[in-house]
Amino acid sequence: MMSSHPKALMALAATAAAALLPVVLGSPYYIQIMTQLLIFTVLFIGLDVAVGHAGLVSMAHGALFGVGAYTTGVLTVTHGWTFWATVPMAIALAAVVGLMVGLLTLRLGGHYFVIATLGLGLVGTIVIKNWKSVTNGDLGISPIPLPESPGGTWFTSMEGFYYLVLAVTVLVSVFVAWMMRSGTGQRLRAIRDNQALAAAIGVDVVRARLVAFVVSAGIAGLAGSFQASSLSYINPEVGGQVIAFTALMAIIVGGRASVAGPFIGAAIFVILPEVLRAADEYRMVIMGVALIIVVIFAPDGIAGRLNALGAYVKRKRLDEPSTPDTAPSARVTETREVART
């Protein structure tokens, strides 16, 4: 059982460990950091659907994250909606924007797609800053409420909100894992491995990538919605290019098309800046050097390097002789032969 489902058991162990963190950490500051780690993990999982599985290097996911955040911010603060009513709207609006971006850009190849999504991300930031009647411009929106829990205020506590975001992270991970095992995931892998061959055997490349990009955008909107509620205040930075660049780097460093990659990327890009806060003037230098080292020595990301190491250890175990006790007897025989001569 353990050997047949090692990844599932590791995921369950990681979830159990994450559930114990509020008890172990205790400090509200650390719980807030872990909540941010989980929210960005959801964003990175969504981006990995586009980058790792569909081969679409998107720079528009900062803006899609902002669409989700501003949907929840505007609807709760300005129009009095409940948080839960805004979540489906945040997912739907981000997915619709993702659909429009995909229809406009997916037929472009390689770096043309990157440049196009970069431009659309910049347009999103400009719209947020200048549509002041809705977004309040540079002043931002506050106070954005925490989710309401049925019959109580549990989700409004720091621990309750953390467990809610943890549950969302698990659900999104399971959904993406299921999607990658479905026909859509098989078509995406075929396109990623050899696009020309996939098209030759009848795979609709543009349609498969469009589905992946829309799903990716919807997940980014979901993460943005929880980010708005977590911070209680949002401004144009929540949908800026820094978020898009950070998300892309996190996927590359953590490891593309892997379950662990987005979690590792989130741990690096959320926790490491906090660890280096004491050395603020050298923080970006240290992070830059660390990223260069990772990219040079782990081009498939840290998760890819760990998988390669696990495969190497497995091969070494299979190569071990099944009857190691024969070696001493052989050495004894050889010694006797040498002695006779």
Side-chain angles (χ1 to χ4, degrees):
M1 181 72 177
M2 182 173 289
S3 60
S4 60
H5 303 289
K7 291 184 178 179
L9 290 175
M10 289 177 64
L12 286 174
T15 304
L20 290 174
L21 278 179
V23 179
V24 175
L25 297 175
S27 167
Y29 170 70
Y30 292 127
I31 296 175
Q32 176 67 20
I33 292 176
M34 295 308 298
T35 303
Q36 285 291 295
L37 187 152
L38 292 175
I39 290 173
F40 277 99
T41 297
V42 173
L43 172 64
F44 299 161
I45 291 172
L47 179 60
D48 194 39
V49 173
V51 177
H53 297 283
L56 299 169
V57 182
S58 169
M59 288 296 291
H61 274 61
L64 296 170
F65 187 70
V67 168
Y70 268 91
T71 300
T72 291
V74 170
L75 292 180
T76 54
V77 175
T78 307
H79 299 282
W81 287 34
T82 65
F83 170 81
W84 293 112
T86 69
V87 173
M89 288 297 295
I91 297 172
L93 280 179
V96 169
V97 174
L99 176 63
M100 296 170 62
V101 172
L103 290 174
L104 289 172
T105 61
L106 280 181
R107 293 189 183 279
L108 302 175
H111 55 278
Y112 294 107
F113 176 82
V114 180
I115 295 171
T117 54
L118 177 63
L120 290 169
L122 291 172
V123 169
T125 303
I126 293 170
V127 170
I128 291 174
K129 284 187 175 182
N130 292 280
W131 198 6
K132 296 181 180 178
S133 61
V134 175
T135 65
N136 211 22
D138 289 324
L139 297 177
I141 298 174
S142 68
I144 302 168
L146 288 166
E148 310 82 9
S149 54
T153 58
W154 194 63
F155 289 152
T156 59
S157 69
M158 192 158 290
E159 293 84 358
F161 188 69
Y162 169 82
Y163 285 118
L164 176 62
V165 178
L166 175 61
V168 171
T169 306
V170 172
L171 289 175
V172 170
S173 301
V174 171
F175 170 74
V176 171
W178 167 81
M179 179 181 170
M180 290 307 128
R181 285 174 171 76
S182 68
T184 300
Q186 293 173 359
R187 286 189 286 273
L188 290 175
R189 280 193 295 277
I191 294 169
R192 184 187 61 198
D193 294 340
N194 192 323
Q195 180 176 335
L197 180 60
I201 62 175
V203 175
D204 190 334
V205 174
V206 174
R207 183 177 179 181
R209 282 182 162 173
L210 183 60
V211 170
F213 197 78
V214 171
V215 170
S216 174
I219 294 174
L222 173 66
S225 178
F226 278 89
Q227 177 72 340
S229 185
S230 174
L231 298 179
S232 182
Y233 165 74
I234 55 173
N235 61 19
E237 291 183 3
V238 78
Q241 289 304 301
V242 174
I243 297 290
F245 180 76
T246 301
L248 192 57
M249 288 300 297
I251 293 299
I252 294 172
V253 173
R256 289 168 287 176
S258 67
V259 176
F263 290 89
I264 296 173
I268 293 173
F269 283 89
V270 174
I271 293 179
L272 190 58
E274 295 296 327
V275 173
L276 298 175
R277 188 173 291 278
D280 190 50
E281 54 187 348
Y282 303 109
R283 183 173 60 176
M284 295 307 296
V285 176
I286 295 172
M287 286 194 67
V289 172
L291 293 179
I292 290 172
I293 292 173
V294 169
V295 170
I296 291 175
F297 293 101
D300 292 329
I302 295 176
R305 176 60 65 183
L306 292 176
N307 288 335
L309 180 62
Y312 173 78
V313 172
K314 188 175 181 179
R315 284 197 305 271
K316 292 294 288 183
R317 286 180 177 176
L318 293 176
D319 291 342
E320 288 180 354
S322 57
T323 55
D325 55 341
T326 57
S329 61
R331 286 197 295 270
V332 171
T333 304
E334 183 180 357
T335 303
R336 288 174 178 171
E337 292 295 328
V338 170
R340 288 173 184 170
T341 58

